[in-house]
């Protein structure tokens, strides 16, 4: 979900306004995806590299996360969606960690769409963690996404064409889609365009058919 800061700067607004707007778009994308029968959706909210940002921006990002989870969790439950956090949430502040864990608990009995929120996430760290804990056996069961299928499609907004340390193991055969649209401007039509592009691709997974 790239482009929040640039969206705000383009409008002479503080960067955190872009993150507020982006949080609303994330909520919309959850609804649009659920309406289309998408079973798994992962939103890359905050990477381990994002700690390099100005402290005030980091503080606001987590404030927005806590605010949204606290205020909108009932909307998630109404959609029968289950929240699952991937990343090292143990390293977060006690308040943020508690809200994350409580959100998982409140949605744990939901049986519909699974929403992965990647918070303090690093693909490299996830692989190292799983390798250490698995001791070479049942490796994938030690990933944050254990029991889930690998992603079919990665959508990255904001014009950058890289995966930025995201789901490095799981994305071995994921289709990549890049758009110049900044995340706060991402619309239902933009999602539909990405899905239509995906539907036209031939996925061989190393084979010839």
């Amino acid at each position: 979900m790239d482009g929040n800061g640039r969206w705000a700067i383009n409008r002479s607004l503080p960067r955190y306004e872009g993150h507020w707007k982006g949080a609303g778009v994330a909520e919309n994308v959850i609804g649009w995806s659920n309406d289309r029968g998408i079973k798994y959706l992962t939103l890359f909210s905050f990477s381990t590299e994002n700690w390099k940002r100005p402290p005030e921006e980091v503080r606001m990002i987590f404030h927005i996360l806590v605010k949204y989870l606290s205020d909108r969790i009932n909307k998630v439950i109404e959609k029968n969606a289950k929240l699952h956090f991937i990343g090292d949430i143990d390293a977060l502040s006690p308040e943020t960690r508690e809200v994350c864990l409580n959100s998982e608990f409140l949605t744990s009995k939901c049986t519909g769409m699974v929403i992965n929120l990647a918070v303090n996430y690093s693909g490299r760290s996830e692989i190292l963690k799983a390798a250490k804990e698995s001791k070479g056996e049942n490796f994938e069961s030690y990933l944050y996404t254990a029991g889930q299928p690998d992603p079919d499609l990665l959508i990255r907004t904001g014009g950058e064409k890289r995966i930025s340390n995201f789901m490095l193991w799981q994305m071995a055969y994921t289709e990549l889609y890049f758009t110049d649209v900044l995340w706060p401007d991402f619309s239902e039509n933009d999602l539909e365009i990405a899905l239509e592009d995906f539907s036209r691709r031939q996925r061989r997974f190393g084979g010839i058919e």
Side-chain angles (χ1 to χ4, degrees), residues 42-193:
T42 301
L43 300 171
F44 199 177
S45 303
F46 191 87
S47 74
T48 55
E49 290 82 9
N50 287 154
W51 292 106
K52 300 173 185 176
R53 296 188 176 193
E56 179 61 18
E57 181 176 353
V58 171
R59 188 188 70 80
M60 284 302 302
I61 289 172
F62 283 108
H63 171 73
I64 293 167
L65 175 65
V66 167
K67 180 71 172 171
Y68 251 84
L69 289 175
S70 300
D71 292 350
R72 311 296 286 178
I73 192 63
N74 287 336
K75 296 293 184 182
V76 177
I77 295 172
E78 287 174 10
K79 291 181 173 63
N80 193 31
K82 179 182 293 187
L83 278 179
H84 174 62
F85 285 85
I86 64 175
D88 184 12
I89 63 171
D90 288 339
L92 304 180
S93 71
E95 178 193 15
T96 303
R97 185 170 63 253
E98 180 180 357
V99 170
C100 292
L101 293 175
N102 189 52
S103 298
E104 284 190 327
F105 173 76
L106 291 173
T107 63
S108 60
K109 290 182 168 51
C110 294
T111 58
M113 176 185 192
V114 175
I115 305 165
N116 294 317
L117 288 180
V119 179
N120 197 28
Y121 177 86
S122 159
R124 288 176 173 175
S125 295
E126 179 183 22
I127 291 171
L128 291 173
K129 170 183 169 296
K132 180 179 179 180
E133 294 176 354
S134 68
K135 298 179 181 178
E137 298 182 4
N138 301 317
F139 175 83
E140 291 190 344
S141 66
Y142 290 86
L143 295 171
Y144 292 126
T145 54
Q148 298 184 18
D150 290 339
D152 292 308
L153 174 66
L154 167 74
I155 301 172
R156 178 161 188 168
T157 60
E160 304 293 352
K161 295 179 174 61
R162 55 179 179 269
I163 59 176
S164 296
N165 198 13
F166 181 60
M167 284 188 159
L168 299 179
W169 180 272
Q170 297 90 333
M171 283 181 32
Y173 280 100
T174 297
E175 298 292 323
L176 308 181
Y177 178 86
F178 301 104
T179 174
D180 290 333
V181 175
L182 301 179
W183 179 251
D185 290 326
F186 192 77
S187 67
E188 186 171 10
N189 185 59
D190 292 315
L191 176 62
E192 191 62 34
I193 291 171

Side-chain angles (χ1 to χ4, degrees), residues 36 38 153 190-200:
R36 287 163 171 78
I38 293 172
L153 174 66
D190 292 315
L191 176 62
E192 191 62 34
I193 291 171
L195 294 176
E196 287 178 1
D197 179 89
F198 170 77
S199 71
R200 293 191 296 269

